[in-house]
Amino acid sequence: MAKPGDLKLQDGSRIAVIGGGPAGSFFAYFTLMLADRVGLDLEVDIYEPRDFSLVGPPGCNMCAGIVSESLVQNMAAEGINFPPSVVQRGIDSYVLYMDVGAVRIDSSRREARIGATFRGSGPRDVKDVKWDSLDGYLMNLARDKGAKHIRARVNKVEWDADPATIPLAERRLTLKTQDGKSQTYDFVAVTTGVNTALLKVFQELNIGYDMPRTTKAHIREYYLGDQAIEKYIGASFHAFLPTLPNIEFAAIVPKGEYVTLALLGEDIDNATVDAFMADPAVKQCMPPGFEFDKIACWCGPRINLAGSAQPYGDRIVFVGDSGVTRLYKDGIGAAYRAAKAASTNVVFHGIAREDLAKHYGAFCRAMESDNNLGKFMFAVVRQIQRFRFSRRAILRMAMEEQKRPPTAHGGMSMVLWDMFTGSAPYGDVFKRTLHPVFWSNLAWNMAVCLVGRQDVSRPTQSALESGNQ
Amino acid sequence: MDKGALGKEYEAGTVIVRQGETGDCMFVVQEGQVAATIEQDGQESMLGLLGPGDFFGEMCVFEKQPRGATVRALTNARVLTVDKKGLLRQITVDPTLAFNLLEKMSARIRTLNSQVAWMDGEQNLRK
Ligand SMILES: Cc1cc2nc3c(=O)[nH]c(=O)nc-3n(C[C@H](O)[C@H](O)[C@H](O)COP(=O)(O)OP(=O)(O)OC[C@H]3O[C@@H](n4cnc5c(N)ncnc54)[C@H](O)[C@@H]3O)c2cc1C
């Protein structure tokens, strides 16, 4: 058996990346970047059947397309700056809607540091594509670093020799594509996401991989036109905490002349979507008389609820949604961080299961324990939502904070900002809530809202636009 | 500002950071040009021009020192702020995030070295 660190990539080693979404492109890009820095000559093939320049489902990886504040900054530090052709809207604030009112929360630096993007080339009904796809842009970065794009779907992965008799150092993984071709690789990164049947193949490979636990989410795109976007949506991310049982969170995000509506929770079906659309808060956000049945594009992708317990094996790693990702938030940012952990592992520490367990495994375990904290926090949010006075207290506290300059501990505004934009790990958000000033302010607002019966006044549209309530 | 633009827009002539101020972030130029100047003994000297992809203010991230230079927008410029705390935290998780910054800082030291060598040569010639 290979000892940890024995099995390493060498000059000429061949890597296959299955899936050219963010996880695949980031993994290819950073593996080639790190290899280049240490003078290691690698060959990287990305298998991706999608053409990201197409509009509608064939070019799209089904997501709300928010590039988080932390990812925008980390990428800038890496030397990658998202151009305005890829970002359809720079977001500088968000508006949180509850049945008791709404509050607009500005980014602490009053700067557009969140990007709203189309993963493909836009909704199905787009005639004139005026933008670049995020996934296409990331794939091009990987290609510029030297990765080769093979436009094919992988449908089988197997050892090229019997694992029972042939030592690991002497066997490789073979990939077969739908067109009947096959190639053998020294290392395979699986970055297929969770909307694929291929993951079952890896369970049959007996490498200890188990699939992430997922549920169905819902995305719709609506055409609003420039004027309506400016008037009603602006540069804000609109977040909803509806009191419907299986929705954790919903968002309306502006992108060019369109808005994307994303509903996250457990098993979201059409009845849930219709109930959400009938919510007065949603009607308040959208233009008056808006026809909710004029859908430009929609999909029901799967979203992770729990990651794979062992997203690695000998000569193989699972990165992004197919491995471990963040609960409900910042999946693209999580794909970036996981891709970096995996590429650092394979370039510097080795490609045997033990090596991956030690380094990449530690990263995945940390992300999963943060997700467990996230689950707890969403459960707390659900409890808070049960009582009208506590819903009002949260809004009131955030509104009062928005009238004053930001404080060091950030208060409710920062807790909501980080929780709903996915800008910080759940652990950080939780720590913010432990601050004594946070608790005393929350207790005060709870008391005020318990005594006073009237709802927090609803901000007018112009107040939401300017941020002055 | 373009609807899809990230960062903040500065009109030509606006000061983005001022020498001597304390800082909790660095900046990455997204569009336009900015100029870095340093003031010493009442005299202002130009340190250099920066364009898209270049960063400044990074010394504050790694040293506990006030800003060493003033940076102004030379043309209308769009600049992204990168928070010190978030960056340092991510570097502790993923040290390779610092590679690009180190590479650019090392290139600056290389340029400074050749400028010092050139100035030395000039002085020797004058002697
Ligand atoms: C409703 C919803 C909203 C979301 N909103 C956001 C958001 O706003 N911001 C955010 O950061 N994250 C968001 N996410 C999460 C985000 O979409 C994922 O975390 C992210 O896409 C994961 O990237 P990935 O590369 O792992 O997988 P994917 O993006 O799914 O990419 C996988 C790729 O693999 C390819 N592939 C699949 N099977 C094969 C095969 N057999 N052979 C070859 N290629 C294959 C696919 O074509 C695809 O291109 C959202 C998710 C959902 C469901």
Side-chain angles (χ1 to χ4, degrees):
Chain A
M1 205 173 102
K3 286 199 303 297
D6 270 2
L7 200 65
K8 289 207 151 152
L9 295 173
Q10 289 158 0
D11 273 342
S13 286
R14 304 187 71 226
I15 299 180
V17 179
I18 312 177
S25 293
F26 281 136
F27 178 82
Y29 178 91
F30 288 111
T31 301
L32 285 164
M33 182 271 272
L34 292 175
D36 182 45
R37 288 197 189 272
V38 293
L40 182 65
D41 187 18
L42 301 176
E43 218 180 282
V44 176
D45 291 344
I46 305 177
Y47 287 83
E48 173 55 64
R50 273 189 210 282
D51 177 351
F52 297 119
S53 67
L54 297 177
V55 297
C60 178
N61 269 329
M62 304 179 287
C63 130
I66 288 289
V67 181
S68 71
E69 212 177 12
S70 52
L71 180 58
V72 165
Q73 293 177 74
N74 287 339
M75 292 298 273
E78 299 274 13
I80 299 168
N81 295 289
F82 293 107
S85 59
V86 171
V87 179
Q88 275 81 61
R89 189 81 206 208
I91 305 282
D92 60 9
S93 55
Y94 84 84
V95 184
L96 176 68
Y97 297 81
M98 290 198 225
D99 59 333
V100 291
V103 58
R104 175 183 153 129
I105 298 177
D106 286 298
S107 88
S108 56
R109 293 202 186 265
R110 305 279 195 273
E111 184 176 323
R113 288 199 299 185
I114 297 177
T117 66
F118 282 123
R119 300 287 302 270
S121 286
R124 197 192 293 266
D125 69 347
V126 169
K127 301 273 176 313
D128 176 20
V129 179
K130 300 178 201 149
W131 45 69
D132 295 330
S133 132
L134 173 72
D135 289 26
Y137 171 76
L138 295 177
M139 167 90 89
N140 281 339
L141 290 178
R143 281 160 65 167
D144 290 348
K145 273 268 178 276
K148 192 168 112 196
H149 175 196
I150 298 176
R151 194 179 299 284
R153 180 174 296 280
V154 174
N155 60 4
K156 202 162 173 84
V157 179
E158 58 192 9
W159 291 107
D160 68 344
D162 184 3
T165 52
I166 307 294
L168 179 60
E170 287 164 35
R171 58 186 152 89
R172 311 262 180 289
L173 285 160
T174 298
L175 266 57
K176 292 195 172 141
T177 48
Q178 256 177 345
D179 51 10
K181 293 187 180 142
S182 71
Q183 291 203 57
T184 298
Y185 292 91
D186 298 285
F187 188 76
V188 173
V190 183
T191 54
T192 55
V194 285
N195 294 294
T196 175
L198 187 70
L199 292 183
K200 289 204 183 80
V201 169
F202 299 104
Q203 286 198 301
E204 290 153 16
L205 205 58
N206 281 334
I207 50 167
Y209 173 72
D210 60 332
M211 281 160 57
R213 196 161 63 81
T214 61
T215 185
K216 219 167 145 214
H218 189 96
I219 296 182
R220 278 187 189 177
E221 247 126 23
Y222 287 107
Y223 178 83
L224 253 69
D226 272 335
Q227 278 186 343
I229 293 270
E230 287 320 306
K231 184 154 186 219
Y232 296 98
I233 310 291
S236 299
F237 171 99
H238 297 254
F240 300 83
L241 283 179
T243 40
L244 295 166
N246 48 346
I247 299 187
E248 290 287 3
F249 169 66
I252 292 181
V253 183
K255 290 180 197 170
E257 300 149 349
Y258 289 81
V259 289
T260 299
L261 161 74
L263 292 174
L264 308 184
E266 295 229 15
D267 290 324
I268 295 184
D269 53 15
N270 280 334
T272 313
V273 183
D274 291 341
F276 173 73
M277 291 306 202
D279 191 316
V282 180
K283 295 222 160 84
Q284 183 197 355
C285 166
M286 298 291 263
F290 182 75
E291 292 171 66
F292 284 94
D293 51 353
K294 282 201 172 158
I295 304 165
C297 210
W298 77 274
C299 58
R302 300 206 73 81
I303 191 161
N304 294 47
L305 289 176
S308 164
Q310 193 194 302
Y312 46 81
D314 287 323
R315 295 189 185 274
I316 195 164
V317 70
F318 296 78
V319 184
D321 282 10
S322 64
V324 169
T325 185
R326 275 197 75 194
L327 178 72
Y328 296 137
K329 296 278 128 57
D330 192 23
I332 304 167
Y336 155 76
R337 291 195 298 278
K340 286 218 72 186
S343 39
T344 308
N345 196 137
V346 302
V347 171
F348 293 107
H349 304 296
I351 54 171
R353 195 186 68 83
E354 289 84 353
D355 305 310
L356 288 155
K358 192 167 163 201
H359 302 279
Y360 181 63
F363 166 87
C364 294
R365 287 187 291 277
M367 192 176 278
E368 275 300 85
S369 58
D370 190 60
N371 283 341
N372 287 335
L373 202 51
K375 272 178 207 150
F376 166 73
M377 293 177 69
F378 275 105
V380 172
V381 170
R382 264 197 305 275
Q383 289 308 314
I384 288 174
Q385 273 179 268
R386 287 179 56 202
F387 304 102
R388 198 174 179 85
F389 83 93
S390 52
R391 297 198 292 270
R392 288 194 343 237
I394 287 182
L395 275 194
R396 188 179 187 281
M397 185 166 159
M399 275 178 177
E400 291 300 314
E401 285 167 2
Q402 288 299 301
K403 291 178 190 158
R404 295 188 292 268
T407 55
H409 61 87
M412 181 62 78
S413 304
M414 275 308 280
V415 167
L416 294 174
W417 178 271
D418 285 339
M419 182 101 179
F420 295 115
T421 62
S423 297
Y426 291 113
D428 284 15
V429 186
F430 183 67
K431 271 188 225 139
R432 283 186 193 285
T433 64
L434 299 181
H435 199 285
V437 177
F438 179 89
W439 273 107
S440 54
N441 281 347
L442 183 60
W444 166 249
N445 281 288
M446 291 259 187
V448 171
C449 291
L450 204 55
V451 176
R453 286 269 160 227
Q454 82 278 30
D455 277 354
V456 178
S457 64
R458 279 182 183 226
T460 60
Q461 197 57 48
S462 62
L464 286 179
E465 279 156 26
S466 64
N468 304 317
Q469 278 110 36
Chain B
M1 191 154 114
D2 191 316
K3 275 189 296 201
L6 295 175
K8 200 167 172 172
E9 199 137 274
Y10 296 87
E11 269 182 36
T14 319
V15 171
I16 304 168
V17 292
R18 205 176 287 280
Q19 187 177 345
E21 281 174 358
T22 49
D24 61 355
C25 60
M26 64 168 232
F27 300 87
V28 184
V29 182
Q30 306 287 305
E31 232 179 277
Q33 269 208 324
V34 303
T37 56
I38 190 164
E39 203 187 300
Q40 218 165 18
D41 308 324
Q43 276 214 325
E44 199 174 50
S45 340
M46 173 74 107
L47 286 181
L49 298 181
L50 304 171
D54 291 331
F55 56 78
F56 59 91
E58 75 286 359
M59 280 145 103
C60 270
V61 172
F62 299 106
E63 291 179 316
K64 242 181 147 181
Q65 295 285 334
R67 300 263 184 224
T70 295
V71 180
R72 273 189 197 84
L74 200 66
T75 61
N76 286 348
R78 183 162 57 82
V79 175
L80 181 88
T81 312
V82 176
D83 299 332
K84 170 179 174 159
K85 214 167 151 190
L87 181 63
L88 288 180
R89 180 203 169 107
Q90 189 55 25
I91 290 174
T92 59
V93 180
D94 168 24
T96 69
L97 176 58
F99 282 0
N100 178 55
L101 300 174
L102 290 173
E103 187 180 313
K104 296 251 167 73
M105 286 162 88
S106 152
R108 276 182 201 164
I109 295 172
R110 194 183 289 275
T111 313
L112 284 176
N113 283 349
S114 48
Q115 280 171 355
V116 170
W118 181 80
M119 277 155 61
D120 258 8
E122 286 275 290
Q123 271 180 353
N124 288 342
L125 275 180
R126 276 197 216 118
K127 273 185 199 162

